[in-house]
């Protein structure tokens, strides 16, 4: 199975970016360029009980973590299963995507994908109940 990061191909290789965050306020070209140069990762499917200290220890195995932002339910201000991890270099971030995506953390298979870069207010869930949209439609 390919990593979700495989969705982000360089345009000169004849591939297009298949996912585009319309709420980013970027053009598709700007979005693609930011993904290609980013040192920030989106981490999903975290347990609501995973601690920031656990995440720092886990992601530091791939390099220097410059910033870690916990995703919060915008109504309850409690963790809601995602975070952003920013590395010092692109190479460290790539190592994390390639080695930690689909690994188990706190009893859950996590998702580690490239992100276009953290901006204020992105730490809040976008779902109707303040959490992630994915959790509102989850079947399990």
């Amino acid at each position: 199975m390919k990593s979700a990061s495989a969705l982000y191909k360089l345009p000169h290789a004849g591939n297009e970016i298949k996912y585009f965050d319309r709420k980013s306020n970027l053009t598709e070209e700007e979005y693609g360029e930011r993904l290609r140069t980013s040192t920030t990762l989106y981490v999903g499917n975290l347990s609501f009980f995973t601690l920031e200290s656990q995440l720092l220890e886990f992601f530091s195995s791939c390099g220097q973590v410059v910033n870690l932002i916990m995703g919060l339910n915008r109504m309850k201000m409690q963790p809601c299963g995602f975070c952003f991890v920013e590395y010092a270099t692109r190479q460290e971030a790539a190592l994390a995507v390639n080695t930690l995506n689909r690994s188990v953390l706190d009893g859950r298979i996590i998702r580690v994908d490239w992100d276009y870069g953290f901006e204020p207010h992105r730490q809040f869930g976008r779902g109707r109940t303040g959490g992630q949209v994915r959790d509102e439609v989850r079947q399990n």
Side-chain angles (χ1 to χ4, degrees), residues 12-101:
H12 63 66
N15 299 304
E16 296 178 10
I17 294 169
K18 295 181 182 179
Y19 174 79
F20 173 64
D21 183 354
R22 290 184 167 100
K23 292 188 179 190
S24 68
N25 294 321
L26 299 170
T27 66
E28 288 189 45
E29 292 77 22
E30 292 168 328
Y31 187 83
E33 182 58 28
R34 298 252 314 250
L35 282 178
R36 284 186 291 281
T37 60
S38 181
T39 59
T40 304
L41 306 178
Y42 170 87
V43 181
N45 202 38
L46 295 171
S47 165
F48 290 7
F49 304 103
T50 301
L51 301 175
E52 187 173 347
S53 58
Q54 288 174 274
L55 292 167
L56 281 170
E57 182 179 345
F58 186 76
F59 285 97
S60 291
S61 68
C62 291
Q64 180 186 351
V65 175
V66 175
N67 206 359
L68 188 139
I69 299 101
M70 295 291 290
L72 300 174
N73 180 303
R74 73 175 182 277
M75 295 176 186
K76 298 177 184 175
M77 294 300 162
Q78 297 174 338
C80 65
F82 72 96
C83 73
F84 297 95
V85 179
E86 182 183 357
Y87 280 95
T89 68
R90 174 81 177 179
Q91 292 76 20
E92 292 168 334
L95 179 62
V97 170
N98 293 329
T99 60
L100 302 179
N101 186 45

Side-chain angles (χ1 to χ4, degrees), residues 1-2 12 14 16 22-23 34-35 46 51 60 90 103 107 109-111 118 120-121 129-130 133-135:
M1 170 175 246
K2 286 187 177 180
H12 63 66
E16 296 178 10
R22 290 184 167 100
K23 292 188 179 190
R34 298 252 314 250
L35 282 178
L46 295 171
L51 301 175
S60 291
R90 174 81 177 179
S103 61
I109 298 172
I110 63 168
R111 196 175 103 214
F118 178 77
H121 305 292
T129 61
V133 174
R134 180 179 300 258
D135 289 329

Side-chain angles (χ1 to χ4, degrees), residues 92-134:
E92 292 168 334
L95 179 62
V97 170
N98 293 329
T99 60
L100 302 179
N101 186 45
R102 300 200 41 78
S103 61
V104 176
L105 177 64
D106 221 5
R108 299 188 58 127
I109 298 172
I110 63 168
R111 196 175 103 214
V112 181
D113 292 321
W114 290 106
D115 188 78
Y116 66 88
F118 178 77
E119 294 173 353
H121 305 292
R122 288 195 62 216
Q123 75 267 32
F124 300 113
R126 296 179 178 175
R128 287 173 294 168
T129 61
Q132 295 189 87
V133 174
R134 180 179 300 258

